[in-house]
Amino acid sequence: MQRNSYLAGVLVGVIAPGFAYIISTYTTLQQSLFSDKPIAFYVIAAVINLIIVRFSFRAGQDKFAKGIVLITFLAMLVLIFATKLKVG
């Protein structure tokens, strides 16, 4: 697989939100660290992905970065609809 491809970006972009889901669902770390902020790990995952995007664009790997942006956007939409957050 090529390093500068949409598929590689999507696969790398899934890691942080997937890890946040595992931590939030299968451990009590969410309740002990961020009891009043139920989506804190997901926000941290989005920030990690966006940092990777920044460095990817600077390195000229635009397809890779766009794959990460796509999966980050989709993950945040799923989070908003799954937790029924009120926006606005």
Side-chain angles (χ1 to χ4, degrees):
M1 179 179 356
Q2 293 180 358
R3 172 94 171 119
N4 189 20
S5 69
Y6 294 110
L7 181 60
V10 168
L11 293 176
V12 170
V14 166
I15 294 171
F19 193 63
Y21 173 76
I22 290 169
I23 289 174
S24 297
T25 305
Y26 298 110
T27 67
T28 59
L29 199 57
Q30 174 73 34
Q31 290 81 19
S32 63
L33 293 177
F34 305 109
S35 60
D36 57 337
K37 296 174 178 69
I39 62 167
F41 282 121
Y42 296 105
V43 172
I44 293 169
V47 168
I48 290 169
N49 276 355
L50 294 177
I51 290 170
I52 295 170
V53 165
R54 170 145 169 82
F55 287 112
S56 298
F57 272 124
R58 290 184 63 116
Q61 297 176 337
D62 58 329
K63 291 180 183 178
F64 180 77
K66 288 177 184 179
I68 294 174
V69 169
L70 172 70
I71 203 69
T72 303
F73 179 73
L74 291 176
M76 289 301 118
L77 280 178
V78 167
L79 178 67
I80 288 170
F81 288 119
T83 60
K84 296 178 178 78
L85 293 175
K86 296 183 192 243
V87 178

